[in-house]
Amino acid sequence: MSKIFKWLLFALALTIGLSRFAINATSLNSVRHDVAVEILGGKHFMASKLQGIMAAPNQSEIEAKVLHIEQSNQFPDKWYLELEILESKNITGGNFAQTGDKVKAFTIQSSLNFAKNNIITAQAEFLGDAHGGFFRLNNIEVFKP
């Protein structure tokens, strides 16, 4: 094959690849998702109030009420939580923790220093997409026992 033909073939493949990526990355801009997610045995509704924003990287400082705690069956240091967001302050990226939302979260700790119905503060990073996900919690402190 000639060098020009190879170059054109490469340019065409690159253009198609980039176009496909651009379509996938921007397709969420035109759709609002209200998602029913199964959380710890019950149905809860999570409405995404932000549209067309990439989830990662992001971080928020949250205050939340602990509604449910469950230890992972596979990993003894992983804890699943259901939280009600009481306050949220954006640190970086999009703020996916909206006041009033009931959300799924997890933390990696050998033991917890809080219980159900406690009010906690934490740094939260949303890991997921427009269809749902989890908040990963770090630096958890008990605000009100």
Side-chain angles (χ1 to χ4, degrees):
M1 286 189 210
S2 71
K3 287 184 180 182
I4 294 175
F5 182 74
K6 287 180 184 179
W7 171 251
L8 288 174
L9 188 60
F10 172 77
L12 178 62
L14 182 63
T15 302
I16 291 170
L18 290 175
S19 296
R20 180 176 169 86
F21 175 76
I23 290 168
N24 287 338
T26 60
S27 63
L28 296 177
N29 286 335
S30 62
V31 180
R32 175 175 167 141
H33 296 278
D34 292 333
V35 181
V37 292
E38 188 73 26
I39 296 181
L40 305 169
K43 287 216 176 199
H44 297 275
F45 294 91
M46 243 170 90
S48 173
K49 294 180 174 94
L50 302 173
Q51 299 175 24
I53 296 177
M54 291 178 56
N58 67 83
Q59 193 171 48
S60 300
E61 182 73 30
I62 64 166
E63 179 179 310
K65 181 177 182 179
V66 179
L67 302 176
H68 189 84
I69 301 171
E70 184 177 310
Q71 190 172 20
S72 170
N73 293 332
Q74 293 180 324
F75 307 102
D77 60 343
K78 186 173 186 178
W79 300 84
Y80 294 103
L81 309 167
E82 181 183 352
L83 305 173
E84 179 181 353
I85 304 297
L86 303 175
E87 290 186 31
S88 177
K89 178 184 169 192
N90 182 258
I91 296 173
T92 185
N95 187 354
F96 295 89
Q98 301 296 310
T99 301
D101 282 354
K102 291 181 181 177
V103 300
K104 300 182 295 181
F106 73 92
T107 188
I108 307 294
Q109 299 186 96
S110 57
S111 64
L112 299 181
N113 62 343
F114 58 89
K116 182 179 176 181
N117 294 322
N118 284 170
I119 306 295
I120 61 170
T121 60
Q123 289 182 348
E125 177 184 12
F126 181 71
L127 304 172
D129 59 21
H131 303 288
F134 284 85
F135 286 90
R136 178 174 46 199
L137 303 182
N138 293 305
N139 302 325
I140 302 170
E141 295 183 20
V142 177
F143 185 66
K144 292 181 187 174

